[in-house]
Amino acid sequence: MAEFLYRVGRWSARRARTVLVAWLAVLVAAGVAFALGAGTLATTFSIPGTPTAEVTDRLQSDFPDASGGTGTVVVQTEDGEPFTAEQEEAVAGLVAEAAAVDGVTAVMDPFQTEADRAAQAQQVESGRTQIEDGRAQLDAGQAQLDAGREQLEAGQAQLDAARAQAEAAGMLAQVQPQLDAQQAALDEGLAALEAQQTTLDDGRATLEEQEAQLEQGATLLDMASEIRMVSEDGSAAIVMVSFADPQMEIPQETKDALVDVFADAPEGLQIDLSSDMTMGAPSIIGAGEIVGLLVAAVVLVIMLGTLIGAGLPILTALIGVGIGALGALSLSGVVEMASVTPVLGLMLGLAVGIDYSLFIVNRHRRQLKAGDELHESIALANGTSGNAVVFAGTTVLVALLALNVTGIPFLGLMGTVGALCIAIAVLIAVTLTPALLGLVGLRILSTKERAQLEAGAGTGGEAAAAPAAASAAPLRPMSTGWAVVRVVVGVAALLLVALPALDLRVNLPDGSTEPHDSSQYQAYATLAEKFGEGQNGTLLVVADLPASETEADSMTAQVEIAQVLFDQDDVVAVAPIGTSEDGTVAAFQVVPREGPTSESTEELVHTLRDMSPIDGTYEIGVAGSASGNVDISEKLESALPVYLAVVVGLSLIILVLVFRSIFVPVIATLGFILSYFAALGGVVAIYQWGWLSGVFGVESPGPILNFLPTILVGILFGLAMDYMLFLGSGMREAYAHGAPARIAVVQGVRAGRSVVTAAAIIMIAVFGGFIFSHSAMIRPIGFALAFGVLVDAFVVRMMLVPALMHLAGDKAWWLPRWLDKILPDVDVEGASLERRHPHAHPAAEDAAEGAERDGDVEKDKAPVGG
């Protein structure tokens, strides 16, 4: 690979314009693809196969009317007074406009809804009055019937007595016709009474049935009483919007059309739209990101001492991220892509693109100052540093692609897009960077450096050798006591910073995490204040109903289910939504006591699911945004250990191949684990606990973005391997050339610390720029990566690893002979290439070699990695 890259570098330098035009053509092609193929980015996340997804799929097939997503528009009066009649009419007009938007199935007028609710309550009271009146009438009728029955019974007794007297007097035959006529009249009267009694009994049964239905309706109204559309003080109202598509699939065009409808609030009213309606794709780049890029530029100027040298890595990185971001976005029309995905690719592409180019530029500059010919130096820098860039980029790429093993589609796509941006950054580093270096020529050096180079060439290289000799300084290993102190302090500090990670809670951001001046936050806050926190995270409960012949039986089952749901501790309201056409599926809206990301709501989701089947009869399922976020978080948590194990195993294999050691891979991997949990600890302390919230603009601390821990593993692993290659390869090279193990540690650190420092600061600056992004999802990712790089580069790689290597001594490089024989020779630093292409100016080379033999100067050879 090193020889191949050497030739690529030489070819690119000699055909610089061709290479530049080719990459610009690729950039233009990516732009054209974006213009033709870009679609809508998803602002929500879903995972097939989760309980929420299964319930949603079933609703789409069995109960399509209840399967659509919902959105919330909050309207309130600016003066805090109740709505006037004119304001209610203005809201009704907006409701009518919104109902006409394509993709919207219904829009609920809050004032009409409350009027209907009041009418229903009045109907219940009227019904109760009517039932009482009917019962009184039935009781009066029963009393009349009982009185009539008594009269008939008295008449029967008189008739029987008359019959007995006539029989005793022997006159029965004469009075028999008269007695029979009287008996017939009595029998007829009794039959009439029995018919009236039957009618009365039927009326009473009907009344009892009506009363039962009325009380069921009253019970449902009582359980839904906290689901108000207009606040108790009359100053705020909720406009509920129902969509044709499920919550996770609502087209952005539909949301945008609704935003336009409610954009101009009527006079005296404030209208805010909830995050489920306005959460769009975050901006690709903002002010914070630009500041981060400027900081990186300053670091490059300080390190390289020339504006051309500083601008070259930034230019190549910008071209790379332009291709990567536009290329990724061009696929959004054919694959469901989360809005954060291209931003993550941009973040990675910028950071590694600058660093990878810097490695090659820095190596080339030092070779030029040592007297190398221009094109030979470019080729050799590409074959050595470029070789390490390819190797390091491959580790990052593989780690990101490994996100697909989690089985989570949106996370796998994030990893794939990130890997694409890394691959582009690597290709640009080893082709476009040599081409640009060929174009700028010696101007990559400062005026002073070029003057020194010319002076050195004019004196046969003696001036070039002098600085090398002058810079020679005696090397001494660190003291063992100091090494122990560094290990103890470093590990203790990392563990202390990692402690908050034990309290990690994950979820997806909601309106509460948005900036306090945003419409999303205002809507969330108003709902919580005026209607209760749970209104921001309602649940959808779906129940299976047994086949029933009557609506009364179906209603009875619904009331039984609703009552059980309502009796749960953290439920404040339950309202039936409706039943399917065949009456076998019923849906209920359940309002929890607290917001969608609260622990109580998460527990409620599990409690409701564990209750199934209710009363051993009714199977239930739970869906909704809050439920979906719980499922996604749990799925990600279960996938994280597997992914972490894959990455740790990958780390050990790669480092054993590179360093041909057991000890070095182990401490490097353990260091990565410490860095990872320290980064998580920092995220929890700031974004969940609210420490230093004012500094980082965290206005509402809460649960951590649920896919952050997983995505952080892949990215931080790749970057940690970069810095380990920088420092470790220098140590390995010095030890392989005969330096004592502890001296080799010092030589490796001295040779790599400047470029590691610069690369880490650039990474921190680029990632740190995203900390102040407008998107609540991007901010914690930017912080986690910036803080993780800070900890890994400066605490783990430059403090802990050298100290542990010192304590291990020669044992640090021990490798079983059988393993040494089967391992391939991975020449990451390109040493074999240097032996085939000797390049240093003779005098400078002799001076450096002599100093190395004496052990008085660190090796003037850049350890490479990336």
Side-chain angles (χ1 to χ4, degrees):
M1 176 61 76
E3 184 67 35
F4 171 74
L5 291 173
Y6 172 89
R7 294 176 181 174
V8 169
R10 178 177 285 277
W11 184 89
S12 298
R14 293 185 181 278
R15 294 168 178 78
R17 288 180 174 79
T18 301
V19 174
L20 179 60
V21 169
W23 277 112
L24 291 177
V26 174
L27 178 61
V28 171
V32 172
F34 167 74
L36 296 177
T40 301
L41 295 174
T43 56
T44 54
F45 300 88
S46 62
I47 301 178
T50 60
T52 297
E54 291 174 352
V55 172
T56 303
D57 291 342
R58 184 182 175 194
L59 283 175
Q60 285 184 279
S61 60
D62 296 346
F63 196 178
D65 291 342
S67 66
T70 59
T72 306
V73 180
V74 180
V75 185
Q76 57 184 323
T77 58
E78 293 180 344
D79 56 7
E81 296 297 321
F83 289 93
T84 64
E86 293 78 9
Q87 289 172 334
E88 291 184 9
E89 290 179 6
V91 173
L94 293 176
V95 167
E97 287 185 51
V101 172
D102 187 30
V104 173
T105 57
V107 181
M108 189 180 295
D109 184 332
F111 307 106
Q112 184 61 49
T113 302
E114 288 300 327
D116 292 343
R117 186 204 296 272
Q120 290 174 347
Q122 183 60 43
Q123 287 175 359
V124 169
E125 292 304 319
S126 299
R128 284 172 172 165
T129 301
Q130 292 173 2
I131 286 173
E132 290 300 322
D133 292 343
R135 183 177 285 110
Q137 292 175 0
L138 288 172
D139 291 342
Q142 186 66 52
Q144 292 176 356
L145 284 176
D146 291 342
R149 193 181 302 278
E150 290 176 1
Q151 291 176 359
L152 287 175
E153 289 175 352
Q156 184 67 51
Q158 292 175 358
L159 183 62
D160 291 342
R163 189 183 298 276
Q165 290 176 358
E167 186 177 0
M171 298 179 65
L172 181 61
Q174 291 86 347
V175 297
Q176 184 69 40
Q178 183 181 359
L179 292 176
D180 289 345
Q182 292 177 358
Q183 184 65 53
L186 285 173
D187 290 343
E188 184 178 351
L190 184 61
L193 284 178
E194 291 299 333
Q196 292 176 13
Q197 184 66 55
T198 300
T199 302
L200 200 65
D201 290 342
D202 290 343
R204 192 177 298 278
T206 301
L207 191 67
E208 289 176 353
E209 182 179 346
Q210 291 174 345
E211 183 179 24
Q213 293 177 351
L214 184 68
E215 291 306 318
Q216 287 178 338
T219 300
L220 292 176
L221 278 176
D222 289 341
M223 286 189 288
S225 61
E226 292 300 318
I227 306 178
R228 297 185 302 273
M229 294 295 104
V230 179
S231 62
E232 287 183 338
D233 62 5
S235 66
I238 302 173
V239 177
M240 293 299 299
V241 181
S242 298
F243 297 96
D245 297 296
Q247 194 74 45
M248 305 296 182
E249 302 173 15
I250 300 172
Q252 189 63 40
E253 293 82 358
T254 301
K255 295 182 181 181
D256 292 341
L258 284 171
V259 170
D260 292 339
V261 169
F262 293 101
D264 296 324
E267 185 177 356
L269 297 180
Q270 176 182 333
I271 297 180
D272 297 300
L273 281 71
S274 62
S275 58
D276 50 16
M277 298 207 19
T278 58
M279 187 179 290
S283 58
I284 295 295
I285 193 164
E289 293 86 336
I290 294 174
V291 170
L293 204 58
L294 292 176
V295 173
V298 171
V299 173
L300 288 169
V301 171
I302 294 174
M303 180 180 181
L304 301 177
T306 169
L307 291 176
I308 292 178
L312 194 148
I314 293 177
L315 175 62
T316 57
L318 290 176
I319 293 175
V321 297
I323 295 171
L326 292 173
L329 289 170
S330 69
L331 300 175
S332 59
V334 294
V335 297
E336 184 177 340
M337 182 178 295
S339 58
V340 72
T341 301
V343 181
L344 186 64
L346 172 72
M347 195 185 301
L348 288 174
L350 270 180
V352 302
I354 293 174
D355 275 4
Y356 288 172
S357 182
L358 169 63
F359 303 153
I360 298 173
V361 170
N362 187 56
R363 179 62 178 259
H364 170 59
R365 278 172 41 81
R366 288 190 293 131
Q367 289 172 173
L368 283 181
K369 289 189 287 185
D372 281 22
E373 186 271 330
L374 177 65
H375 291 120
E376 178 65 17
S377 175
I378 294 172
L380 193 59
N382 209 51
T384 52
S385 289
N387 190 51
V389 162
V390 171
F391 188 86
T394 302
T395 63
V396 184
L397 186 146
V398 171
L400 289 173
L401 287 177
L403 284 168
N404 288 278
V405 306
T406 61
I408 301 172
F410 77 83
L411 196 61
L413 184 59
M414 283 185 191
T416 302
V417 170
L420 172 66
C421 291
I422 295 294
I424 293 171
V426 170
L427 289 173
I428 283 185
V430 298
T431 57
L432 185 56
T433 299
L436 293 177
L437 288 174
L439 283 176
V440 301
L442 293 178
R443 287 176 295 170
I444 196 68
L445 302 176
S446 66
T447 304
K448 182 179 179 181
E449 288 169 337
R450 292 200 298 271
Q452 290 176 345
L453 184 61
E454 291 174 1
T459 58
E462 294 175 3
S471 65
L475 289 178
R476 296 188 183 90
M478 73 179 77
S479 67
T480 300
W482 178 235
V484 172
V485 170
R486 290 174 64 163
V487 171
V488 172
V489 171
V491 172
L494 290 174
L495 290 176
L496 182 64
V497 175
L499 279 178
L502 296 175
D503 190 42
L504 174 69
R505 286 186 59 241
V506 295
N507 210 303
L508 281 171
D510 57 22
S512 66
T513 62
E514 297 296 329
H516 284 196
D517 60 351
S518 66
S519 177
Q520 300 97 307
Y521 178 82
Q522 293 299 323
Y524 186 97
T526 301
L527 284 175
E529 177 186 356
K530 301 285 188 179
F531 301 92
E533 293 182 15
Q535 190 65 47
N536 284 297
T538 58
L539 302 174
L540 177 65
V541 174
V542 178
D544 290 336
L545 302 181
S548 58
E549 296 182 357
T550 65
E551 292 186 5
D553 292 338
S554 177
M555 176 61 73
T556 300
Q558 292 181 61
V559 173
E560 289 179 6
I561 296 169
Q563 188 64 60
V564 173
L565 298 176
F566 184 71
D567 290 341
Q568 302 309 305
D569 292 338
D570 292 314
V571 173
V572 297
V574 176
I577 297 175
T579 59
S580 59
E581 289 186 5
D582 60 4
T584 60
V585 180
F588 303 85
Q589 180 186 10
V590 177
V591 180
R593 188 171 303 279
E594 296 185 308
T597 60
S598 67
E599 292 184 64
S600 66
T601 300
E602 293 180 25
E603 292 173 2
L604 177 61
V605 170
H606 295 298
T607 299
L608 295 178
R609 286 173 176 165
D610 293 340
M611 289 166 47
S612 183
I614 291 178
D615 295 337
T617 303
Y618 309 110
E619 295 283 349
I620 66 170
V622 184
S625 296
S627 168
N629 292 348
V630 170
D631 290 342
I632 292 172
S633 299
E634 292 180 352
K635 180 74 172 178
L636 287 163
E637 284 181 322
S638 64
L640 178 59
V642 176
Y643 181 57
L644 185 58
V646 170
V647 169
V648 168
L650 181 65
S651 170
L652 290 171
I653 294 172
I654 290 173
L655 294 177
V656 167
L657 285 172
V658 172
F659 297 118
R660 309 188 77 79
S661 163
I662 299 298
F663 180 79
V664 176
V666 169
I667 65 170
T669 303
L670 291 177
F672 155 69
I673 294 174
L674 284 174
S675 300
Y676 171 73
F677 284 104
L680 277 186
V683 171
V684 170
I686 292 172
Y687 292 91
Q688 183 176 316
W689 291 357
W691 293 6
L692 300 176
S693 56
V695 176
F696 293 95
V698 183
E699 295 174 309
S700 301
I704 304 305
L705 183 65
N706 52 21
F707 59 83
L708 187 151
T710 307
I711 202 78
L712 180 62
V713 171
I715 298 173
L716 190 58
F717 161 72
L719 303 180
M721 293 306 99
D722 286 0
Y723 302 131
M724 192 64 210
L725 285 171
F726 263 109
L727 296 172
S729 62
M731 298 176 191
R732 173 69 186 176
E733 185 180 0
Y735 182 75
H737 287 174
R742 291 179 172 177
I743 293 293
V745 171
V746 179
Q747 287 182 323
V749 171
R750 285 195 178 185
R753 63 188 174 190
S754 62
V755 72
V756 166
T757 300
I761 292 175
I762 290 170
M763 286 270 190
I764 294 168
V766 173
F767 291 144
F770 289 86
I771 294 176
F772 303 99
S773 168
H774 188 71
S775 170
M777 286 191 289
I778 298 299
R779 290 195 296 266
I781 296 177
F783 174 83
L785 292 176
F787 187 63
V789 168
L790 174 69
V791 168
D792 193 82
F794 294 107
V795 180
V796 173
R797 305 304 156 191
M798 297 179 67
M799 180 178 174
L800 282 181
V801 169
L804 290 170
M805 295 284 289
H806 172 88
L807 294 175
D810 290 328
K811 295 184 178 63
W813 303 108
W814 174 81
L815 186 70
R817 290 185 178 180
W818 63 268
L819 184 57
D820 185 54
K821 291 180 180 179
I822 63 175
L823 288 179
D825 183 14
V826 181
D827 184 18
V828 177
E829 61 272 10
S832 60
L833 179 68
E834 289 188 283
R835 289 193 293 269
R836 290 194 298 271
H837 299 274
H839 62 285
H841 191 284
E845 187 175 8
D846 292 343
E849 289 179 354
E852 184 181 27
R853 282 194 304 269
D854 296 337
D856 293 331
V857 65
E858 63 180 284
K859 187 171 178 59
D860 185 23
K861 170 180 168 57
V864 288

